[in-house]
Amino acid sequence: MTKASTPDTSRAHLLAQAQAEREWDLAVIGGGATGLGVALDAAARGFSVVLLEAEDFSQGTSSRATKLVHGGVRYLAQGNVSLVREALHERATLLANAPHLAQPLAFVMPGFHWWERGFYGIGLKMYDALAGSRGLGATEFLSSAETRALLPTVRRRGLMGGVKYWDGQFDDARLAVALARTAVARGAVMLNHCPVTALRREAGKVRGVIARDAETGVTLTIAAKCVVNATGVWVDDLRNMDRDAGAPEKPGIVAPSQGVHLVVDRAFMPGTHALLVPKTEDGRVLFAVPWLGKTILGTTDTPREDVVREPAPFAEEVQFILREAGRYLDKAPKREDVRSIWVGLRPLVRHGDEDGDNTKQLSREHTVLVGRSGMVTVTGGKWTTYRAMAEDVLERCFDRQLLPRIAKGVTVQLPLLGASRRAGVSLTQAPGEHLYGSEVALLRSLPGADRWLWRDPESGQGGLSEAMVRFAVRHEMARSVEDVLARRSRLLFLDAAEAARQAGAVAAILADELGAAFDAAASQRAFEALARQYHTLP
Ligand SMILES: Cc1cc2nc3c(=O)[nH]c(=O)nc-3n(C[C@H](O)[C@H](O)[C@H](O)COP(=O)(O)OP(=O)(O)OC[C@H]3O[C@@H](n4cnc5c(N)ncnc54)[C@H](O)[C@@H]3O)c2cc1C
């Protein structure tokens, strides 16, 4: 399969296509991992596809992951072998198709009890066996000296050795943008900042969507043979748009569960290995992951009924992460060390009469439902398996004769735009040109390639250049300061105060790129308010 060339992602071009009078094969609602995967797979099979995202690609849950491309060690402990096997398979596929944005990462589980090394080591050998030929490296038993060599700041007191195993990590938001752009290169129309406000229904069947261009207020009326609702924790809102006037609300299928991450400097855990504590004192899982020059600590799993765009962390969640990180690292991170805090909502699927209060018992697998109206709803699952989920969704569309069947498998070897890894540079290092893969030359051809707005302070390398902001607008569909600093660059997630300091400079470049219609001051102010939330602890 050949690599796609740089597509025309200008908003005017995409909007003009969405406004054309025609019937599309498929309209996808939601531009997170799930919707983007469906749109790309369908476009790659030759269907005509339009995708509408209310905010920005991955603005919902899909930019707030732990950044792991993984089989899910803890799901193996729960005995969910088929889920783990599929995810391990998808892990390898994703790493191969986007090597600039998804790479292998070695994890170390330190052991502080005599039985831990053997117990977890055997489980991880099973993990290797399930990965089979798609494994990334063999699990190894480590002495305490070897454990300390790989995790120099791990607590020494009581350390009895460790186990090293392999999984992957990725830049979730940049991967989302790469999926969107690759889908455009395959002929799809992918529009961010276009919320779907209603469904087009004819004789009880869903035959398209009504959306609003959030920038101009213009209404888009889109006719489609098949509509897929891939709105994550919002799927129930869309399911409720799909009902007759006066009909009662449909019971919800999603039980959101909140996950918090804290980001601290790399000094707390230098090196290129992640730390996994499979069972903290109160039985939870804790990760410390080196990512883009910082360390991510997390996460939590707290039921939450209200679904908001920017959920706030609970004080208990922050205390848990800092307390447990302090137990396993030499130097305990304190509140003032936190550079950024972000919160994501997992769309866990309720089954039968399960109790929504205990989200750990809910399904971590994805669910596809087809309503009487023919609208296909998909939710749950995880980032790692987005590609397989897309295949399942299209299979259901074929079963219900919403679309003519075309064989699956076209995305197995479909490199995403930019697919190429710069030798010797990994995702554990500060952000920089390496994240642009094979598009570095295009990036460097833009004005400001050597004008750095921000440099990573620890390495003095990488950072955010003027050209990266221009690239975000010209090629990556960024429309606001937030789109740039939260998801094209990840500065908001790495250091929220620093991101706020860059808001003015980014707004000025956006104004230059987008012209008079862009309200630079409003975009800057909105971002500064958001950044305050990302560096304010409860
Ligand atoms: C804390 C946390 C950590 C995680 N870590 C990992 C990990 O390390 N690895 C992994 O594989 N998975 C991980 N996951 C799971 C993974 O992030 C999710 O499964 C995945 O991102 C869900 O994607 P989605 O597209 O279904 O939902 P979303 O990303 O939320 O996308 C839904 C989209 O629909 C849009 N939308 C809503 N209403 C409308 C409308 N009316 N019109 C148009 N658009 C609309 C929203 O704006 C949103 O962008 C994690 C999840 C959480 C919460």
Side-chain angles (χ1 to χ4, degrees), residues 75-277:
Y75 310 131
L76 188 61
Q78 292 161 4
N80 204 335
V81 172
S82 62
L83 178 70
V84 175
R85 187 186 288 117
E86 177 179 68
L88 287 169
H89 199 265
E90 289 304 316
R91 178 184 75 173
T93 303
L94 176 50
L95 265 50
N97 284 333
H100 54 319
L101 297 173
Q103 296 163 8
L105 177 69
F107 285 70
V108 175
M109 275 187 198
F112 295 94
H113 298 102
W114 65 267
W115 53 269
E116 278 180 327
R117 217 169 57 129
F119 179 75
Y120 292 122
I122 289 165
L124 288 164
K125 290 277 183 197
M126 270 177 65
Y127 197 62
D128 291 353
L130 282 177
S133 62
R134 314 209 79 192
L136 303 174
T139 293
E140 293 167 47
F141 291 92
L142 305 174
S143 66
S144 54
E146 287 166 333
T147 305
R148 283 201 307 273
L150 299 182
L151 294 177
T153 53
V154 73
R155 185 184 96 198
R156 285 160 185 250
R157 190 167 32 88
L159 182 68
M160 302 189 80
V163 188
K164 173 178 159 182
Y165 74 98
W166 288 86
D167 249 325
Q169 73 172 160
F170 72 131
D171 181 337
D172 48 7
R174 286 199 64 80
L175 187 73
V177 172
L179 284 168
R181 296 177 65 222
T182 308
V184 174
R186 299 275 162 165
V189 170
M190 311 289 281
L191 279 165
N192 51 358
H193 303 288
C194 271
V196 167
T197 52
L199 301 172
R200 281 188 79 231
R201 298 173 92 234
E202 285 168 13
K205 297 284 171 205
V206 170
R207 305 291 296 175
V209 300
I210 314 286
R212 181 173 46 83
D213 173 4
E215 293 188 357
T216 59
V218 166
T219 297
L220 306 173
T221 302
I222 290 165
K225 294 189 183 90
C226 176
V227 173
V228 171
N229 167 18
T231 52
V233 287
W234 292 275
V235 284
D236 290 326
D237 294 350
L238 274 292
R239 288 176 60 244
N240 273 308
M241 284 183 195
D242 182 19
R243 72 195 151 112
D244 297 326
E249 282 232 335
K250 296 180 178 174
I253 58 166
V254 163
S257 163
Q258 164 162 309
V260 170
H261 293 92
L262 306 180
V263 172
V264 295
D265 283 344
R266 188 154 180 174
F268 286 94
M269 209 185 71
T272 54
H273 288 69
L275 165 81
L276 168 63
V277 178

Side-chain angles (χ1 to χ4, degrees), residues 60-65 233 256-261 299-300 302 304 311 317 342-347:
T61 303
S62 296
S63 54
R64 302 154 197 262
V233 287
S257 163
Q258 164 162 309
V260 170
H261 293 92
T299 179
T300 54
T302 315
R304 171 157 205 155
E317 297 182 294
W342 79 77
V343 185
L345 297 177
R346 287 180 196 82

